[in-house]
Structures are given as C-alpha cells and as structure tokens.
C-alpha cells in the first residue's frame, strides 16, 4: 500500500533561519497527490498546501514545496522561520479516486527566539 | 468555511464499556472519515464513508465500527473499549475525490481516555 516517510520527528530552529521538513513517499500509482497539513497546539489539522504536478513549485503562507516524482519527494520549505510556525506538520499522499489520504508520522517544528 | 462538529470533546471510558463518538458536518460533503492520532504514529485512518448507509474499512479498523445514517452524520463505535484505544480521534469530511486532490476539513477532535 501507500506510505509516507517523514524522517525528522522533531526539528528545532532559531527564528529567522530557513525551514526544511522532509517528506518521501511510496506508491504504485503514477499520479500521486501530495499534501502538507499543519496542526497548531490544541487545534485540528488544516491544509497548508497541495500538489499533483511534477516539478512545479506550490506556495502558500510563505511555505513552498515541489513534487519530484523522480525522487518521490515533497519537502516543505520556508526561507525564514517565525515563532508562529511552531506546530506539527504532516505530509500526506493520495491518488485519483481513492478517497483515502495516507499520512506520515508528522514532524514537530519548534521555533525559538 | 467548512464545518465539522464532533461530540463529545473529551470522554473517559472504562475498559470493556461501549463508546460512541459522533460527528456532524454541514458542508454537504460526500466523504467522511475517522482518524486516530497518537504521538509518534501520526494520523491513521480507521473507517471512512462516501455515501450514507455505507462505510469502508480504513487502515486500522479492528476494534471499531462505523455508522453513516445520513450524509451529515458519521459515528465511530467502540463496542468493547480497551486501554490501547486511548487516543485523540478526529472526524473529517471532504468533497468528491473524482480529481483526487480534495481538502480534508477536520473537526476539533475528541480526546478519549480508557481506564
């Protein structure tokens, strides 16, 4: 079945430094759809950004990610971390018509002053 | 803004007891889901449904039943609650997955503690 791997369980950064959260996936289908969801403390997950186009950068709220089918990756990046970016970030995968989203284990990002 | 409401917000149950978690959505969405969240395991799909009166097994269905009596309502039932089912449970809804990139809208979660 589908799987999503987020290698870092916890990332701690100083405010102003760049953010990169890793996400790789496995699927037998050739047209995957990749998502990043963010969950702030005591809140529910909400969509941050999504993509299904190979090698096209997608951006939202200062974050960006590019789906690379050749390396099965969809890393989340931001040029300068803010204190408010501290949250739990999930990478997720689906494909056409499945109606199911497979989530990675999540990465907790903590941004310190 | 999509609206998914879960009840109760938190619950303490006894081992072997029956627990019912409820979810109601006003988005007119076809798909509804139950996920459980555990530290270190992310969000795992328990059951989902794409039409009323029908449910599908997700990735971890054992020990759980689901019921979708109407488009708006989706319940998760633990017939015999166990300690291992202590977790936070999220309900979510989405529109039709015909193009495969639909957004999930999550409820606020139910924190279940089984003693």
């Amino acid at each position: 079945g589908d799987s999503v791997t987020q290698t870092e369980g916890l990332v701690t950064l100083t405010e102003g430094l760049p953010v990169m959260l890793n996400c790789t996936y496995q699927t037998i289908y050739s047209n995957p759809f990749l998502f990043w969801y963010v969950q702030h403390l005591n809140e529910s997950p909400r969509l941050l950004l999504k993509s299904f186009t190979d090698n096209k950068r997608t951006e939202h709220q200062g974050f960006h990610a590019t789906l690379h089918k050749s390396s099965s990756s969809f890393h989340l990046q931001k040029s300068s971390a803010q204190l408010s970016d501290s949250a739990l970030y999930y990478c997720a995968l689906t494909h056409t018509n499945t109606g199911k989203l497979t989530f990675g284990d999540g990465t907790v990002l903590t941004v310190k002053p | 803004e999509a609206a998914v409401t879960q009840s109760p917000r938190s619950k303490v149950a006894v081992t072997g007891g029956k627990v019912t978690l409820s979810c109601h959505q006003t988005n007119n969405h076809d798909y509804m889901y139950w996920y459980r969240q555990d530290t270190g395991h992310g969000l795992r799909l328990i059951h989902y449904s794409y039409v009323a009166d029908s449910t599908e097994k997700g990735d971890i269905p054992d020990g759980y039943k689901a019921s979708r009596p109407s488009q708006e309502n989706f319940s998760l039932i633990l017939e015999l609650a166990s300690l291992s089912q202590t977790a936070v449970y999220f309900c979510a809804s989405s529109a039709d997955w015909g193009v495969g990139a639909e957004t999930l809208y999550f409820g606020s979660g139910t924190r279940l503690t089984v003693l």
Side-chain angles (χ1 to χ4, degrees):
Chain A
D2 296 340
S3 67
V4 176
T5 300
Q6 295 180 246
T7 52
E8 311 102 346
L10 178 64
V11 172
T12 303
L13 291 171
T14 301
E15 188 179 18
L17 291 181
V19 177
M20 180 162 174
L21 306 183
N22 292 316
C23 173
T24 57
Y25 64 90
Q26 286 189 317
T27 180
I28 63 173
Y29 297 94
S30 59
N31 293 311
F33 297 84
L34 274 294
F35 305 76
W36 277 100
Y37 279 79
V38 59
Q39 183 179 13
H40 287 93
L41 190 61
N42 296 323
E43 296 183 4
S44 54
R46 62 173 177 82
L47 181 68
L48 180 58
L49 48 79
K50 62 184 177 183
S51 178
F52 52 87
T53 304
D54 198 13
N55 298 317
K56 180 179 179 181
R57 174 170 162 150
T58 183
E59 299 187 35
H60 187 61
Q61 296 184 336
F63 287 91
H64 63 92
T66 302
L67 175 59
H68 292 295
K69 293 184 181 180
S70 61
S71 58
S72 299
S73 66
F74 191 57
H75 305 317
L76 182 67
Q77 299 182 68
K78 188 178 185 184
S79 58
S80 176
Q82 298 178 294
L83 297 176
S84 58
D85 294 332
S86 294
L88 174 57
Y89 291 81
Y90 285 111
C91 184
L93 161 73
T94 190
H95 38 83
T96 308
N97 294 329
T98 180
K100 289 177 55 177
L101 206 59
T102 299
F103 286 84
D105 289 341
T107 297
V108 175
L109 174 65
T110 302
V111 181
K112 295 184 175 181
Chain B
E1 180 71 21
V4 179
T5 305
Q6 292 182 233
S7 62
R9 289 298 306 271
S10 66
K11 183 172 180 64
V12 178
V14 295
T15 303
K18 182 176 181 178
V19 177
T20 300
L21 307 183
S22 299
C23 180
H24 178 82
Q25 57 106 351
T26 58
N27 309 321
N28 199 33
H29 284 166
D30 290 329
Y31 281 81
M32 295 188 75
Y33 311 81
W34 278 106
Y35 283 90
R36 69 176 276 173
Q37 182 177 47
D38 302 274
T39 302
H41 286 93
L43 290 162
R44 293 181 289 174
L45 182 63
I46 306 170
H47 286 286
Y48 67 105
S49 167
Y50 53 85
V51 67
D53 295 322
S54 177
T55 63
E56 305 292 330
K57 293 181 179 179
D59 298 320
I60 54 163
D62 293 345
Y64 302 93
K65 291 173 56 179
S67 173
R68 182 96 181 266
S70 64
Q71 186 193 39
E72 298 81 14
N73 295 294
F74 191 37
S75 298
L76 185 68
I77 303 140
L78 290 67
E79 295 278 5
L80 295 170
S82 67
L83 296 174
S84 64
Q85 293 177 312
T86 293
V88 177
Y89 292 84
F90 284 101
C91 177
S93 74
S94 71
D96 183 24
W97 279 80
V99 293
E102 290 300 331
T103 300
L104 261 63
Y105 294 91
F106 286 86
S108 54
T110 296
R111 183 173 298 276
L112 175 64
T113 303
V114 182
L115 302 175

